[in-house]
Amino acid sequence: MEPTRTPTGARRARIAQLLRLETTSGALLLLAAALALIWANSPWRESYASLMELRVGPAALHLDLSVAAWAADGLLAVFFYVVGVELKHEIVAGSLRDPKRAAVPVLAAVGGMALPALVYVGIVLVAGDPEALTGWAIPAATDIAFALAVLAIFGRGLPIGLRTFLLTLAVVDDLLAILVIAVFYTASVQLFALLGAALAVLAFALLARSRFDFWWVLIPIALVAWWCMHESGVHATIAGVVLGAFVPARPVHGQREPRTHRHEAAVRPWSTAIALPVFAFCSAGVSVVDGGGFSQLAAQPVLLAVAAGLVLGKLLGVLGVTALITRLTPLRLPDGIGIRDLLPVALLTGIGFTVSLLIAELSFDDDARTDAAKLAVLIGSGVAALLAAPLLRWDARRARAADENRDGVPDAAQQRIGD
């Protein structure tokens, strides 16, 4: 018998459900970024800069961080926890469970990271700015929330398998980006702090699999793991994805559903409503009116390199690698999906945003390159979304072949996006 919900409880359930929608996440991110850009270029832009530089937190724990640093190191760990939980579920029980089924989007994700990096490196070298090479990974990431939001809005009527393909590609993309952050953007490692983080993660993993996985026990342990990771020199957001990866993806102790579902449902609303919008607000506030204005930022080779990497690099990497492997190997796209569907999907992967903005903050020591890179992320992501949207509508209106993925077997009837 279902428990009777009070009006307040029902209202909270509706809000939580709304915050789990991909369209809601994309809209909140866009709104936060727009507000930051407007404030950072308004007559009151100094107050925005002052707010970002305001330091809060206990100095004794080395946590007297600026508001911008708290958003990048602290709040974004919540988002990475959701990514870690999604990864665990996809690997154990989802689209990455079957190697043959997962091979094409996984390889497409690799191509979608390699080509943007090569485009970036080529442009900054030709422009004579070798010091900017540290930002090679900026255009390599895909923003899951934004990409899926655009697909949900403009891809109505397309096979649902296309969403699974994009989700798999984006999740692998983010995993590779996380590895890049951990390996290439860690200057030094404090081993004792890293050992402390490992012990906290182990305690979290054991409790997450036990009968005592209460939130009021798990959250303090997660905070200890985050603090130790922060002290170790490894970017603190890595703690989020590692903790999420230890949540059981199969039912345990007689429960009906895996705990990955329960944890994702509990944490995603906080990530959607607070973590991601606040990070976007703190990172997207690039001023183009101070100093030399937009012309000074545009003169930075980083701007063209990042924007071209996101739009052209992602398009050529995802589409090119997928076309090659489906033509030269026995691997095929999922049922009901053809190469024609991947043109808009490849453009959607060019929506970098969250992780790209984070890598931009980690890549450079000077404000000029950092601001140019951030502006390029916003421009490149916007262009990719604007190009993908009409192509999705055009693709949805076209008649589909009986064997769209050309595997020799007629495609089964599929649920459509938006059904």
Side-chain angles (χ1 to χ4, degrees), residues 41-252:
N41 292 280
S42 72
W44 307 279
R45 55 187 174 275
E46 290 184 4
S47 62
Y48 175 84
S50 299
L51 175 62
M52 294 302 102
E53 294 169 3
L54 178 66
R55 302 187 77 85
V56 293
L61 297 177
H62 302 153
L63 293 178
D64 53 333
L65 309 176
S66 66
V67 169
W70 272 113
D73 292 5
L75 286 178
L76 209 56
V78 179
F79 163 72
F80 275 97
Y81 181 80
V82 176
V83 171
V85 170
E86 277 191 331
L87 265 171
K88 178 64 175 291
H89 181 77
E90 293 299 323
I91 291 171
V92 174
S95 56
L96 295 175
R97 180 181 72 256
D98 182 1
K100 289 184 178 179
R101 183 181 171 191
V104 176
V106 168
L107 292 172
V110 174
M113 290 197 72
L115 262 293
L118 291 175
V119 168
Y120 178 95
V121 169
I123 290 176
V124 296
L125 288 180
V126 169
D129 189 13
E131 292 182 2
L133 286 174
T134 52
W136 64 270
I138 297 171
T142 296
D143 190 286
I144 297 175
F146 246 139
L148 290 178
V150 175
L151 180 64
I153 295 169
F154 296 99
R156 297 174 67 87
L158 290 171
I160 197 70
L162 199 61
R163 182 193 180 279
T164 304
F165 183 92
L166 176 60
L167 176 62
T168 304
L169 194 158
V171 165
V172 174
D173 201 324
D174 271 5
L175 174 61
L176 295 175
I178 290 163
L179 292 175
V180 166
I181 292 171
V183 174
F184 294 98
Y185 293 95
T186 299
S188 61
V189 177
Q190 301 295 326
L191 291 179
F192 283 111
L194 195 61
L195 177 61
L199 292 174
V201 169
L202 177 61
F204 183 94
L206 292 173
L207 281 169
R209 295 195 64 86
S210 74
R211 297 182 182 274
F212 308 102
D213 66 326
F214 306 118
W215 66 266
W216 45 270
V217 176
L218 292 176
I219 288 178
I221 295 174
L223 290 174
V224 171
W226 176 87
W227 177 72
C228 289
M229 192 72 76
H230 181 270
E231 288 292 286
S232 74
V234 179
H235 199 269
T237 54
I238 303 299
V241 76
V242 173
L243 290 169
F246 280 100
V247 178
R250 297 191 186 280
V252 293

Side-chain angles (χ1 to χ4, degrees), residues 225-307:
W226 176 87
W227 177 72
C228 289
M229 192 72 76
H230 181 270
E231 288 292 286
S232 74
V234 179
H235 199 269
T237 54
I238 303 299
V241 76
V242 173
L243 290 169
F246 280 100
V247 178
R250 297 191 186 280
V252 293
H253 303 297
Q255 294 175 332
R256 294 183 177 181
E257 64 175 9
R259 288 182 176 174
T260 47
H261 285 173
R262 184 158 59 85
H263 282 236
E264 189 267 347
V267 180
R268 183 179 290 279
W270 296 97
S271 173
T272 300
I274 298 176
L276 287 178
V278 171
F279 172 75
F281 179 78
C282 293
S283 297
V286 179
S287 177
V288 297
V289 297
D290 288 329
F294 180 78
S295 60
Q296 183 180 16
L297 294 178
Q300 293 284 342
V302 166
L303 191 140
L304 177 60
V306 171

